[in-house]
Amino acid sequence: MINLKKNHEKENKEFEDKNKKNIKENLEEEFSFNKKRKKTSSKSGMVEVLKELKIKLINFKEGFFNSKNSSIKIMSILWIITIFSGYLYFSSKDNTPKVVFERESLKQQNEKEKLYIYYPEKNKIANKEIEVEKNISKSSKIRRTLDETLNELKTLEKIPNINEKTEVYYYIVNNIIYLDLPEKLFDRVKSPTDELLIIYSIVNTMTNIDTNLDTVKILINGADMDKVKYANLKRDFKFRKDI
């Protein structure tokens, strides 16, 4: 009789230990269940979560009613409360990503525009393409192409080595470009053609950016001069490819 009682107590303890283990495993699974719920936003994902919840509730029911220990039942009740609390929390939570800021389109940032610069070649005016950022201002485009043209003239040794950033200026008044050049820009000019090729290299470059800017007036060292060597500088200069 005593042996039967001991065997009965042993079996009951093993049964309760098994239930405790099952509940512990269920609690561990609950954390992964909640993590999975966080990542789920689609309708199909929601159905999957509900199916998993149903299975867990069935397991809970079996463990609850088969247990003879009140502590097991209390743990089971706490477990189901945790399940429903987690489910209600994540069901009510808005999983829609919120836009904190909008990044400027990289495509727009890197978009380029083709412009032309002009330079002397075999006693004629030639041109080549350069690329500038499309979203920069018109003034920046003019400055960029002007600097490129002056650098090309220096490379060809048509003009001396000047600092175009500090010695060459331009102003726009009533759609007329006033171009202020240093007198030494013409130091290497040996003929009227040489002078005109330098002038129209710059004029053509500056007037091909905007159709409204089609006239250039040339100043020398900030003053309105008749000429430096050969060309009449009092007149208006417009785009001209044939010299």
Side-chain angles (χ1 to χ4, degrees):
M1 187 70 178
I2 295 173
N3 288 336
L4 287 173
K5 185 177 180 180
K6 287 183 178 179
N7 288 336
H8 179 71
E9 288 176 351
K10 182 180 180 181
E11 289 175 356
N12 189 44
K13 187 175 185 306
E14 288 176 352
F15 178 79
E16 290 177 353
D17 289 341
K18 183 178 180 181
N19 272 320
K20 285 182 181 179
K21 183 179 180 182
N22 288 338
I23 289 172
K24 182 180 179 182
E25 290 175 352
N26 284 333
L27 287 171
E28 290 174 350
E29 289 174 5
E30 166 59 11
F31 286 104
S32 63
F33 169 78
N34 283 340
K35 288 180 182 178
K36 184 176 181 181
R37 175 65 185 89
K38 285 182 181 179
K39 297 178 181 178
T40 305
S41 58
S42 64
K43 187 175 180 181
S44 60
M46 188 66 180
V47 172
E48 183 181 343
V49 170
L50 289 174
K51 286 181 180 179
E52 188 173 342
L53 180 60
K54 185 177 179 181
I55 294 171
K56 290 183 179 294
L57 288 175
I58 292 171
N59 292 338
F60 160 76
K61 182 179 178 182
E62 292 175 354
F64 185 86
F65 288 107
N66 289 333
S67 176
K68 296 179 181 179
N69 191 306
S70 60
S71 65
I72 299 297
K73 291 187 177 183
I74 291 172
M75 288 181 67
S76 298
I77 291 170
L78 292 174
W79 177 78
I80 195 63
I81 290 172
T82 304
I83 284 282
F84 274 107
S85 298
Y87 175 74
L88 292 173
Y89 174 78
F90 290 113
S91 293
S92 61
K93 192 175 179 65
D94 183 9
N95 291 318
T96 305
K98 290 181 173 58
V99 178
V100 178
F101 65 91
E102 291 186 5
R103 182 177 297 174
E104 187 179 355
S105 170
L106 291 178
K107 181 179 178 182
Q108 184 181 1
Q109 245 181 3
N110 298 326
E111 198 171 355
K112 302 291 185 180
E113 178 181 359
K114 290 181 179 179
L115 295 174
Y116 293 92
I117 66 168
Y118 293 79
Y119 57 93
E121 186 177 74
K122 297 178 180 179
N123 288 331
K124 292 183 180 180
I125 296 289
N127 65 65
K128 66 179 180 180
E129 284 184 354
I130 64 167
E131 286 189 343
V132 299
E133 293 78 7
K134 193 172 184 179
N135 60 346
I136 63 175
S137 67
K138 179 169 62 179
S139 178
S140 296
K141 291 176 184 177
I142 293 174
R143 183 76 247 182
R144 169 74 185 280
T145 54
L146 175 59
D147 291 347
E148 291 281 351
T149 300
L150 293 170
N151 283 328
E152 188 70 22
L153 291 172
K154 284 189 284 185
T155 300
L156 296 172
E157 298 184 347
K158 298 295 182 181
I159 62 174
N161 187 25
I162 63 168
N163 187 337
E164 62 275 3
K165 301 289 186 185
T166 60
E167 296 184 79
V168 178
Y169 304 95
Y170 75 91
Y171 318 91
I172 299 175
V173 180
N174 296 328
N175 288 334
I176 297 175
I177 301 173
Y178 290 83
L179 180 62
D180 189 357
L181 301 173
E183 187 172 357
K184 66 180 180 179
L185 187 82
F186 300 96
D187 282 356
R188 294 181 180 176
V189 169
K190 296 178 180 179
S191 69
T193 301
D194 287 346
E195 193 172 48
L196 287 176
L197 286 171
I198 292 172
I199 290 172
Y200 277 103
S201 292
I202 300 171
V203 169
N204 289 358
T205 294
M206 301 187 76
T207 55
N208 90 101
I209 295 173
D210 187 335
T211 54
N212 293 320
L213 301 176
D214 62 352
T215 303
V216 176
K217 287 185 175 292
I218 296 178
L219 306 175
I220 303 298
N221 296 332
D224 190 8
M225 295 180 61
D226 291 335
K227 65 178 182 178
V228 174
K229 289 192 174 182
Y230 304 100
N232 176 16
L233 302 181
K234 286 283 190 180
R235 64 189 183 91
D236 295 344
F237 290 90
K238 295 180 179 291
F239 184 94
R240 180 181 171 185
K241 196 165 184 180
D242 299 324
I243 304 300

